[in-house]
Amino acid sequence: MTKFSRVLDSADGLAIEEQESLVQVLQHRLAEHRRAELAEAVKSARREFKAGRCRPATPAQIIKRLLA
């Protein structure tokens, strides 16, 4: 049995209110994790820009490059 399956089985053993709380806690943790990843990506982009490894572009320029 995988770890994921064990977690699901354990969650099934919780009361409905506890399952709802678990979902809320997991959603909050995921949001925090995504915010941390985004913050790190912004820091990295700023370092690259400061080092001259990238340059500013308008949204139209970015789209044009993506579609080329």
Side-chain angles (χ1 to χ4, degrees), residues 2 7-8 13 19-22 28 30 37 39-40 44 52 59 66:
T2 66
V7 169
L8 288 178
Q19 289 181 22
E20 290 171 343
S21 293
L22 177 61
H28 178 75
L30 284 170
E37 285 180 337
E40 184 54 41
S44 177
L66 287 174

Side-chain angles (χ1 to χ4, degrees), residues 7-68:
V7 169
L8 288 178
D9 287 343
S10 294
D12 282 339
L14 298 173
I16 295 295
E17 295 82 14
E18 292 173 319
Q19 289 181 22
E20 290 171 343
S21 293
L22 177 61
V23 168
Q24 290 174 353
V25 168
L26 290 174
Q27 287 175 335
H28 178 75
R29 288 181 179 184
L30 284 170
E32 288 297 319
H33 181 71
R34 288 183 183 125
R35 274 193 277 280
E37 285 180 337
L38 181 58
E40 184 54 41
V42 168
K43 287 179 188 176
S44 177
R46 286 182 176 160
R47 284 192 300 269
E48 288 181 20
F49 180 74
K50 190 174 181 179
R53 291 190 299 253
C54 61
R55 53 191 149 100
T58 65
Q61 291 169 324
I62 294 169
I63 296 297
K64 185 177 177 180
R65 287 185 199 146
L66 287 174
L67 298 176

